[in-house]
Amino acid sequence: MTTATPVQRKATRPRADALRNRERIVTAAREMFVEFGPDVPLDEVARRAGVGNATLYRNFPDRDALVREVVCSVMDRLSEAAEQALAETGDAFAALERFVHGAADERIGALCPMVASTFDQYHPDLEAARERGEELIGEVMDRATRAGQLRPDVGVGDVMVAVAQLSRPPAGTGCVSADRFVHRHLQLFLDGLRAPARSVLPGAAATMEDLRQP
């Protein structure tokens, strides 16, 4: 089992209170981006985080910096969930299932559009977080495939597309009530991933690189 090195984005270690403020800002921004989209007023983010505007801008000089940190933090959480799945010694497919349901709880369906539309998707921080996540998620799937439990004709991209599509719809659609169906429908999808496969899938297994193609 390979464990990726956590992404480091800070050269110096801030004071504990400064770290707490930064974490509160990122948490509040993530919640509000999911609810209202990436154009939510930053002073509203500061208000929900319980900090002043000056504190927000001291940590994140512009909207792109804040959006990027939110997306990177979600990717880091997905990587941590994948590491937990790899650390489990029991049923490999059950570990994959727990990871997929946890990924849906991150509401990546609402956050994914920001990667393509709001800032440079090739920023070094984003690329490092993305590469780490893809590697770990691939390992979770590979382990289930080697155990003969996961059909071999699916890729990381297939799983993440399903998670994004079946997790909460993009912000602003007014479909909050659909949240109660997310895990039910994800389980239907996961049942379709089990080996032996009962059908032949059209096309080729999707990779994350495929998803980044224009």
Side-chain angles (χ1 to χ4, degrees), residues 168-170 172-180:
R168 180 178 173 180
T173 61
C175 294
V176 176
S177 61
D179 280 1
R180 67 185 186 276

Side-chain angles (χ1 to χ4, degrees), residues 99-204:
F99 166 77
V100 168
H101 284 289
D105 287 336
E106 295 295 333
R107 299 299 192 254
I108 63 173
L111 296 175
C112 280
M114 293 186 240
V115 177
S117 62
T118 307
F119 60 88
D120 178 12
Q121 62 176 305
Y122 299 107
H123 189 281
D125 289 352
L126 181 61
E127 286 200 316
R130 183 167 56 209
E131 288 171 6
R132 178 188 177 219
E134 290 174 18
E135 175 186 349
L136 289 167
I137 297 166
E139 289 181 19
V140 174
M141 294 178 63
D142 287 345
R143 191 173 68 163
T145 302
R146 291 194 302 270
Q149 297 173 302
L150 175 66
R151 57 189 297 167
D153 55 350
V154 294
V156 173
D158 293 309
V159 171
M160 298 314 294
V161 163
V163 173
Q165 291 180 339
L166 294 175
S167 60
R168 180 178 173 180
T173 61
C175 294
V176 176
S177 61
D179 280 1
R180 67 185 186 276
F181 301 118
V182 168
H183 293 288
R184 175 181 175 85
H185 294 164
L186 272 177
Q187 193 58 48
L188 288 171
F189 165 73
L190 285 163
D191 287 348
L193 293 184
R194 283 190 176 274
R198 297 192 176 187
S199 63
V200 177
L201 295 176

Side-chain angles (χ1 to χ4, degrees), residues 80-94:
E80 290 166 6
E83 285 185 327
Q84 291 174 7
L86 289 170
E88 296 180 16
T89 57
D91 187 293
F93 196 89

Side-chain angles (χ1 to χ4, degrees), residues 53-71:
N53 287 357
T55 298
L56 187 150
Y57 285 106
R58 186 162 54 247
N59 282 275
F60 304 103
D62 54 36
R63 183 180 300 274
D64 282 3
L66 178 56
V67 172
R68 181 171 59 249
E69 185 64 20
V70 168
V71 174

